[in-house]
Amino acid sequence: MFTACFIVWQLGVLFYAGTTMSLFGGTPFPLAGKEVLLIIGAGYLVSIAFICLFPRKTVYAERAVLPAAFAAAALTLFPFSPEVLTILFYIEIFCCTFSIGTMASLASHLFTVDTTWRDAIIGLAAGGVLIAALQNDLFPVGFTAFTSLSLVMIAALSLFHFLIPAKIRTPYAGADHRVKMPGILFWGTWMLNAFSTLLLCLASSFSESLPHGVSIFYLSGGAFALLAGYLKKRRGGYSLKIFGTYFMLAVVGFILAAFSPQIPQTGPFACILLGFVAALANFWIFFCAVAFHFYPTRFIGAMGAAQGLLLALIHSGLLEALRNDPPLLYGLYAILAALMMLCCYLLEPYFTHAWAQSKKADETPSAGDEKKESPFGALSEQERILADLILRGYTESAIAKEMNITLNTQKSYRKNLYAKLDLHSKRELFELANK
């Protein structure tokens, strides 16, 4: 329930702060739009600085920040002056934003990859139902009711952080770390992470512009998160193909959104399909965990927080620039979703291999396990090194440099490697390795 508690609190705070295109939210006391954005930015920047300087202290940070958020939220229920209530809510916004980076860092350090996968599914399934109930337009939920529920969520998160180990002992990769994350995996992972979050910003804004849109959007997102879990379990493997399919359906959702001003009947169907975006964005800690297991950098949480801040600015800029031309705005996001679908296709073999390897590293072999004969056993030592570098995402020139051989010798080794394993392409090599 780690993510469920946080996203209900986070999205509720942003909703009532008026930082989205909300038509029916709002606090009972005055907020200044510019001040809210400045506090959100400050929360991100302080979080980034803290993680960079004290990456092993994130649990301690949350043990201090969450009780402060709880106190601020609780005090907003008392009849203080509007100015005092505004300051208390600003404190809550700051604490909530600060926690985005620290919680990503903490989950990457302490959770296994499979735990982050389950966390994303359960978090959105449970959180989606609560968000749909809190931000509906059939029976509007007041700020007092939201704050009361937030207190329960913050208390649960605080308890969680006091129960888990405070000391993080994960060894970090240094400049001379041999298992370096290949460029295609590093940049591809952060692209999927970043742009699925950007797509979520617009999808949630669109859903708020339609009657019942918020409820449809988040309920769909929860259902599609559960579907992703079912498909993975049914397939019994580790693959990005699910994500590629989800991006493809999100493209259709944005196209329908572009036509909704002229054909209002397409709006609800667009909200349903855009639920795939909500599911995709909720897997961001899972992507962080896979990346961290492959290359344990101390800056993993800081990169996530910096990404959130940058995307919030991009989304705000696009909304302001194209607010009067919705078809162009949604068409632009449809193109972006299509590019992410292509990114999934290119990244799929590399990420699938990294995911499987991280799963393998998390497992504890049992005493009765028998060692299976591997087809890679027929390769020479140099050919095995070559296969490993290919699977880790090294380019041909990078492989030649790493193995200290010429490019032609590397190509000769690759030809022998494919012949011995009866393979014809790099993708077939990945399929064999992942089996």
Side-chain angles (χ1 to χ4, degrees), residues 89-207:
F89 193 64
Y90 285 164
I91 292 172
E92 188 180 353
I93 293 173
F94 175 85
C95 294
C96 183
T97 310
F98 176 88
S99 295
I100 293 173
T102 52
M103 286 188 180
S105 180
L106 184 151
S108 301
H109 282 80
L110 296 181
F111 292 2
T112 65
V113 172
D114 270 13
T115 298
T116 59
W117 172 268
R118 289 191 295 271
D119 177 61
I121 293 167
I122 296 170
L124 186 57
V129 172
L130 286 172
I131 294 166
L134 284 169
Q135 300 187 26
N136 74 91
D137 51 351
L138 278 177
F139 46 95
V141 176
F143 180 74
T144 301
F146 160 71
T147 302
S148 301
L149 180 62
S150 291
L151 291 174
V152 176
M153 299 295 169
I154 300 168
L157 285 170
S158 300
L159 178 63
F160 170 82
H161 284 88
F162 277 97
L163 290 175
I164 62 174
K167 293 183 179 179
I168 294 175
R169 297 184 174 88
T170 307
Y172 294 123
D176 58 345
H177 199 280
R178 288 187 60 80
V179 187
K180 292 184 177 178
M181 194 174 182
I184 188 170
L185 184 60
F186 179 83
W187 294 112
T189 298
W190 284 104
M191 277 184 65
L192 287 177
N193 218 350
F195 290 112
S196 59
T197 305
L198 184 59
L199 293 173
L200 174 67
C201 290
L202 187 71
S204 58
S205 297
F206 171 75
S207 69

Side-chain angles (χ1 to χ4, degrees), residues 82-415:
E83 293 78 13
V84 172
L85 291 172
T86 299
I87 292 171
L88 290 170
F89 193 64
Y90 285 164
I91 292 172
E92 188 180 353
I93 293 173
F94 175 85
C95 294
C96 183
T97 310
F98 176 88
S99 295
I100 293 173
T102 52
M103 286 188 180
S105 180
L106 184 151
S108 301
H109 282 80
L110 296 181
F111 292 2
T112 65
V113 172
D114 270 13
T115 298
T116 59
W117 172 268
R118 289 191 295 271
D119 177 61
I121 293 167
I122 296 170
L124 186 57
V129 172
L130 286 172
I131 294 166
L134 284 169
Q135 300 187 26
N136 74 91
D137 51 351
L138 278 177
F139 46 95
V141 176
F143 180 74
T144 301
F146 160 71
T147 302
S148 301
L149 180 62
S150 291
L151 291 174
V152 176
M153 299 295 169
I154 300 168
L157 285 170
S158 300
L159 178 63
F160 170 82
H161 284 88
F162 277 97
L163 290 175
I164 62 174
K167 293 183 179 179
I168 294 175
R169 297 184 174 88
T170 307
Y172 294 123
D176 58 345
H177 199 280
R178 288 187 60 80
V179 187
K180 292 184 177 178
M181 194 174 182
I184 188 170
L185 184 60
F186 179 83
W187 294 112
T189 298
W190 284 104
M191 277 184 65
L192 287 177
N193 218 350
F195 290 112
S196 59
T197 305
L198 184 59
L199 293 173
L200 174 67
C201 290
L202 187 71
S204 58
S205 297
F206 171 75
S207 69
E208 290 182 6
S209 68
L210 297 178
H212 320 309
V214 171
S215 299
I216 295 171
F217 176 64
Y218 283 107
L219 288 174
S220 300
F224 296 144
L226 289 173
L227 177 62
Y230 170 78
L231 291 174
K232 174 185 170 292
K233 188 174 181 179
R234 186 69 181 267
R235 288 174 59 87
Y238 301 85
S239 175
L240 267 190
K241 290 177 181 175
I242 296 171
F243 294 87
T245 304
Y246 275 25
F247 275 117
M248 179 179 69
L249 293 167
V251 171
V252 180
F254 281 113
I255 292 172
L256 289 177
F259 284 105
S260 62
Q262 290 77 31
I263 312 174
Q265 294 84 354
T266 63
F269 295 104
C271 277
I272 293 172
L273 290 176
L274 291 178
F276 285 108
V277 172
L280 288 165
N282 209 53
F283 282 99
W284 76 291
I285 290 181
F286 160 73
F287 281 104
C288 287
V290 174
F292 185 79
H293 276 66
F294 204 83
Y295 185 62
T297 172
R298 60 186 289 170
F299 302 112
I300 195 82
M303 288 188 289
Q307 167 191 287
L309 176 58
L310 178 62
L311 294 174
L313 294 173
I314 292 173
H315 174 64
S316 298
L318 285 172
L319 271 183
E320 288 304 316
L322 300 175
R323 188 182 293 273
N324 296 324
D325 195 351
L328 178 59
L329 180 63
Y330 297 125
L332 180 65
Y333 275 69
I335 293 170
L336 183 58
L339 290 174
M340 289 303 97
M341 181 177 65
L342 178 61
C343 180
C344 267
Y345 175 77
L346 295 174
L347 187 63
E348 193 267 331
Y350 300 95
F351 189 89
T352 299
H353 181 67
W355 186 1
Q357 290 298 102
S358 60
K359 165 69 174 175
K360 193 176 178 181
D362 288 333
E363 288 178 340
T364 303
S366 61
D369 285 348
E370 294 183 2
K371 191 173 182 180
K372 296 181 180 179
E373 185 179 348
S374 168
F376 292 91
L379 303 177
S380 68
E381 183 181 354
Q382 289 289 79
E383 288 164 351
R384 283 199 298 273
I385 293 171
L386 172 64
D388 179 57
L389 292 173
I390 293 172
L391 293 169
R392 282 162 53 189
Y394 281 70
T395 62
E396 290 188 359
S397 57
I399 289 172
K401 183 178 179 181
E402 184 76 12
M403 296 181 67
N404 197 24
I405 57 178
T406 66
L407 195 58
N408 286 335
T409 303
Q410 181 268 142
K411 289 179 179 178
S412 177
Y413 283 158
R414 187 184 293 250
K415 185 178 180 181

